Amino acid sequence: MTSWKIHFTASDTENAQSAHKRLIHQYGQYSISQADVIVALGGDGFMLESMHRYMASGLPIYGMNKGTVGFLLNDYQEENLFERLQAGVITKLHPLKMAATDMHGRVTEALAINEVSLLRESRQTAKIEISIDGKVKVEELTCDGVLVATPAGSTAYNLSAHGPILPVNAGALALTPISAFRPRRWRGAILPREAQIKFRIIESKKRPVSAVADAVEVRDVATVTVQEEPNICIKLLFDEEHNLEMRILDEQFQY
């Protein structure tokens, strides 16, 4: 493909908006229905927003860093964009699906690209029962919380909670406690991507817990189930010399 039909999107920062105007002037702007690719300008937060917003389109998303961290993004360059897109490497991601039932029986479903996390809402530690594929594996985790991370999200909150970094193609999920008090020696688990994880909140009225799937928060949950959603595929496009798989590998050697 010698030229690409691009849909540009940008965060609302002045820097990103200025780049947005220049790139549209140089390469044109196509609607989502006409485009071959989405080019997102911003930081990692905006990239996550774009992945959620456009995941139903099936279009690959090529991010360029106009933010701060830029882990999910390519370097910003205005030149040779068609050539960079043509040479890009596609990484396919599947989000997590969360189904959270609150203490009133209301069910909220949401998708998470990075992680689903359960967090205590008060000064009281949370007490959480954890089941995998219908079998109780942790009868009572006393903690600040617990999370399930995808490989793409394993270098984010999961890593800060001392969870493992997962290669993109590992076919696994990370189950990681957050500031666990008991059992003290349990450091979490690496689960197959097909696993269904269920959390049941013990003493939920006395020890309220919230569930968060990326930007969606549900307060006062009673039970939460989490599993990968295999029917949704998000395609990210990276420059060949620094693709996401390589970035995650390199993160394991940071010290």
Side-chain angles (χ1 to χ4, degrees):
M1 189 181 298
T2 56
S3 63
W4 293 64
K5 295 178 180 178
I6 303 172
H7 178 81
F8 290 100
T9 184
S11 69
D12 57 6
T13 66
E14 183 178 346
N15 196 19
Q17 287 295 317
S18 177
H20 187 245
K21 291 177 182 178
R22 292 195 304 272
L23 288 166
I24 287 176
H25 178 75
Q26 185 172 351
Y27 295 101
Q29 174 75 319
Y30 291 85
S31 68
I32 289 295
S33 62
Q34 296 172 317
D36 302 311
V37 65
I38 296 164
V39 173
L41 310 170
D44 279 340
F46 182 73
M47 186 63 174
L48 277 174
E49 290 177 21
S50 299
M51 292 159 71
H52 277 281
R53 185 179 303 125
Y54 299 115
M55 68 170 64
S57 72
L59 295 175
I61 304 176
Y62 181 85
M64 287 203 288
N65 191 8
K66 275 295 179 180
T68 51
V69 179
F71 187 80
L72 295 171
L73 301 151
N74 300 283
D75 292 337
Y76 181 81
Q77 295 177 23
E78 295 182 13
E79 302 77 20
N80 304 316
L81 182 54
F82 289 153
E83 289 79 4
R84 293 175 73 191
L85 293 173
Q86 184 66 35
V89 176
I90 286 183
T91 296
K92 295 180 179 180
L93 306 178
H94 298 283
L96 298 173
K97 181 179 180 180
M98 176 188 80
T101 303
D102 68 18
M103 288 188 286
H104 303 287
R106 294 184 294 252
V107 179
T108 301
E109 293 186 350
L111 298 174
I113 296 165
N114 272 353
E115 75 277 318
V116 172
S117 53
L118 276 66
L119 305 166
R120 67 184 176 104
E121 296 178 10
S122 70
R123 62 181 178 82
Q124 295 276 10
T125 56
K127 289 188 176 182
I128 303 172
E129 178 191 85
I130 303 174
S131 299
I132 308 297
D133 296 329
K135 297 180 180 180
V136 175
K137 294 297 185 182
V138 180
E139 292 184 358
E140 186 174 289
L141 175 66
T142 305
C143 58
D144 281 353
V146 63
L147 63 84
V148 182
T150 66
S154 67
T155 61
Y157 191 9
N158 173 71
L159 182 58
S160 298
H162 308 291
I165 295 176
L166 302 176
V168 173
N169 297 318
L173 304 173
L175 174 63
T176 303
I178 303 169
S179 300
F181 180 65
R182 288 195 179 92
R184 287 187 185 274
R185 296 184 181 179
W186 188 64
R187 294 293 180 263
I190 297 175
L191 305 175
R193 65 191 307 173
E194 301 84 7
Q196 183 184 77
I197 306 106
K198 182 176 181 179
F199 303 102
R200 183 177 68 85
I201 312 307
I202 301 169
E203 300 178 24
S204 57
K205 291 184 179 179
K206 179 181 178 182
R207 304 171 185 272
V209 169
S210 66
V212 183
D214 285 352
V216 177
E217 181 179 12
V218 182
R219 306 282 289 183
D220 303 330
V221 296
T223 62
V224 178
T225 59
V226 181
Q227 60 189 109
E228 187 183 82
E229 178 49 84
N231 296 320
I232 297 177
C233 180
I234 302 165
K235 293 179 282 188
L236 301 185
L237 195 57
F238 289 93
D239 293 331
E240 186 174 12
E241 67 274 11
H242 200 29
N243 59 56
L244 184 60
E245 188 170 357
M246 188 180 301
R247 293 180 192 203
I248 291 177
L249 177 64
D250 288 345
E251 279 291 312
Q252 297 182 74
F253 298 92
Q254 300 296 322
Y255 51 88

